[in-house]
Amino acid sequence: MNVIIEIIISVMIIISGLLSILSAVGVIRLPDVYTRTHAAGISNTFGVSLLLFATVGYFFHSGEGFNARVLLAILFIFLTTPVASHLINRAAYDTGVPLAIRIRDQLRSVKKDDIKQRKNLIIRQEQIEKARQEKEALEDRLDWELRAEEIDAYEEQEDAEREREEQTIEEQSDDSEHEIIEQDESEEK
């Protein structure tokens, strides 16, 4: 029984190695980023997972016990690697990385419509922002004009008060001069 389990573990290790080699060859030989990430994601996921299953089987068979951390690592690899491959492909497609010549792009029309919608949305947002800036500029100009009017009115009021004070001072000085002249005349007589 021990020999059969060791053979199964050895076969699992060999298959995982072959899958990893296949993944490396796919990354090197495939024509574009989309097929390369597919090869790396799928083959490497199964290769590493099979190797970790072989590790769990080996340690369980040798009597060292069951290792739950390795099973969690397998789960983590199954959850993250395909998602990462998908997101890399999606980012490449959205940024405009070209497809291989042999591959037909079935999403091109959908993508063009999406790009048009995004451009229209950006144009609308820019127009709204420009209108908001113009409104703020008009409000600022209106505020400055109102402040200028207030300042002009205040200056006119101050000028009027100064003129009144000057007239009052002149009248008082004229009155005092007349009084002095009258006193001088009365003293001379």
Side-chain angles (χ1 to χ4, degrees):
M1 185 75 167
N2 288 338
V3 174
I4 295 174
I5 293 176
E6 289 177 2
I7 290 173
I8 291 173
I9 291 172
S10 300
V11 168
M12 289 172 69
I13 291 172
I14 291 171
I15 292 173
S16 69
L18 291 175
L19 285 173
S20 295
I21 289 172
L22 180 66
S23 173
V25 169
V27 168
I28 293 170
R29 297 284 299 167
L30 290 173
D32 61 357
V33 68
Y34 308 105
T35 53
R36 288 177 185 164
T37 54
H38 180 71
I42 301 300
S43 299
N44 213 9
T45 300
F46 291 125
V48 170
S49 298
L50 199 56
L51 180 66
L52 291 175
F53 275 125
T55 304
V56 168
Y58 174 76
F59 284 115
F60 187 71
H61 173 66
S62 67
E64 293 186 22
F66 180 74
N67 195 345
R69 285 185 231 156
V70 177
L71 290 179
L72 287 175
I74 294 169
L75 178 68
F76 183 73
I77 288 170
F78 268 109
L79 291 176
T80 57
T81 305
V83 173
S85 296
H86 173 74
L87 291 177
I88 290 170
N89 282 340
R90 186 172 180 174
Y93 189 78
D94 287 342
T95 56
V97 175
L99 295 163
I101 296 170
R102 297 176 282 193
I103 299 173
R104 235 179 60 210
D105 186 6
Q106 296 174 350
L107 294 176
R108 181 180 293 169
S109 62
V110 175
K111 185 179 177 187
K112 284 183 180 179
D113 293 339
D114 188 37
I115 289 172
K116 286 179 185 177
Q117 288 176 352
R118 286 182 186 176
K119 283 182 181 178
N120 290 337
L121 179 65
I122 290 170
I123 290 170
R124 279 190 232 125
Q125 288 174 343
E126 288 174 352
Q127 290 172 343
I128 290 170
E129 181 64 22
K130 185 177 180 182
R132 186 189 63 79
Q133 289 174 352
E134 289 175 356
K135 179 183 173 188
E136 286 179 0
L138 288 173
E139 289 174 352
D140 289 344
R141 191 179 326 150
L142 181 62
D143 286 344
W144 280 106
E145 289 175 1
L146 290 174
R147 287 180 187 164
E149 289 176 6
E150 290 174 0
I151 290 171
D152 290 342
Y154 181 73
E155 287 176 352
E156 288 176 7
Q157 184 181 2
E158 282 185 347
D159 289 343
E161 287 178 12
R162 277 192 210 120
E163 287 178 11
R164 275 189 249 127
E165 287 176 6
E166 288 175 1
Q167 285 178 355
T168 307
I169 291 173
E170 282 182 23
E171 289 174 1
Q172 288 176 355
S173 66
D174 285 344
D175 288 344
S176 60
E177 283 180 15
H178 288 305
E179 287 176 10
I180 293 173
I181 292 174
E182 288 175 3
Q183 284 178 357
D184 286 344
E185 285 178 359
S186 61
E187 286 176 5
E188 287 179 6
K189 290 184 180 183

